[in-house]
């Protein structure tokens, strides 16, 4: 067996594992969906699979929806899943354009990065996606309470 065949087999195994994990994440999380990027060249020379976590708020009261529409869109979280995943953690890609987002997005970024940085390695994709949803919901709740429009829930 050639080393290329072994590498291809390993990549297929990683991709199969990843697709199963993405399916479970998308079934479990309400406001975040994870999708493989159609442009796999966006990893800029790194070996692995790129994907994006999108924030999609659902089931909101009208006042909260209006508030969220005014402060969103949250930029999507772009990740590189290394070829040796799950032995290595997903990597946040630099194309993650928080700097273009509003103050509320910056607060989500700070809390998310602090949390992810405190976790023991390796971190699984489900933990990252769930944490991202949690910190978006937490910051939106605080913002909504200050605005007097209720609360945001991400519990299923």
């Amino acid at each position: 067996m050639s080393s290329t065949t072994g590498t291809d087999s390993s990549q297929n195994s990683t991709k199969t594992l990843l697709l199963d994990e993405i399916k479970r994440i998308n079934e479990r999380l309400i406001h975040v969906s994870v999708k493989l990027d159609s442009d796999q060249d966006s990893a800029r020379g790194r070996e692995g699979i790129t994907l994006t976590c999108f924030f999609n708020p659902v089931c909101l009261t009208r006042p909260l929806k209006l508030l969220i529409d005014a402060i969103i869109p949250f930029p999507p979280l772009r990740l590189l899943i290394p070829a040796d995943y799950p032995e290595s953690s997903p990597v946040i890609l630099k194309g993650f354009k928080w700097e273009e987002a509003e103050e509320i997005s910056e607060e989500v970024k700070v809390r998310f990065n602090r949390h992810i940085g405190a976790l023991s390695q390796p971190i699984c994709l489900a933990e990252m996606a769930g944490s991202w949803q949690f910190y978006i919901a937490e910051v939106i709740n605080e913002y909504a309470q200050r605005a007097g429009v209720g609360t945001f829930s991400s519990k299923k």
Side-chain angles (χ1 to χ4, degrees):
M1 170 158 69
S2 73
S3 63
T4 303
T5 305
T7 301
D8 290 345
S9 176
S10 174
Q11 288 174 339
N12 287 338
S13 176
T14 298
K15 189 167 185 176
T16 300
L17 175 73
L18 187 58
L19 290 172
D20 288 344
E21 188 172 3
I22 289 170
K23 181 180 177 190
R24 286 190 310 274
I25 291 167
N26 288 337
E27 289 171 350
R28 185 176 57 88
L29 297 180
I30 297 172
H31 303 289
V32 168
S33 60
V34 179
K35 296 183 175 142
L36 289 176
D37 281 355
S38 57
D39 176 16
Q40 288 297 312
D41 293 333
S42 60
R44 294 184 200 110
R46 295 181 179 169
E47 190 175 330
I49 299 168
T50 56
L51 54 84
T52 304
C53 299
F54 296 96
F55 175 66
N56 305 303
V58 295
C59 304
L60 304 174
T61 64
R62 181 162 171 70
L64 188 54
K65 175 147 179 39
L66 291 172
L67 176 69
I68 289 175
D69 286 347
I71 60 176
I72 294 196
F74 278 95
L77 175 65
R78 298 199 55 250
L79 300 170
L80 172 71
I81 308 303
D84 64 344
Y85 180 80
E87 285 78 32
S88 295
S89 299
V91 176
I92 298 172
L93 292 174
K94 296 293 182 201
F96 189 34
K97 300 189 185 303
W98 283 107
E99 61 274 8
E100 294 178 4
E102 298 294 322
E103 175 184 332
I104 191 168
S105 294
E106 183 62 29
E107 184 60 29
V108 172
K109 175 188 171 188
V110 167
R111 293 180 193 191
F112 175 76
N113 285 337
R114 186 179 326 129
H115 175 75
I116 294 300
L119 294 175
S120 61
Q121 299 290 324
I123 304 167
C124 70
L125 174 60
E127 175 71 25
M128 289 187 90
S131 296
W132 192 60
Q133 176 177 274
F134 175 82
Y135 287 106
I136 290 174
E138 183 177 73
V139 171
I140 288 174
N141 265 333
E142 292 169 7
Y143 192 82
Q145 288 173 350
R146 285 194 302 268
V149 296
T151 59
F152 176 82
S153 176
S154 61
K155 295 182 179 168
K156 207 169 198 179

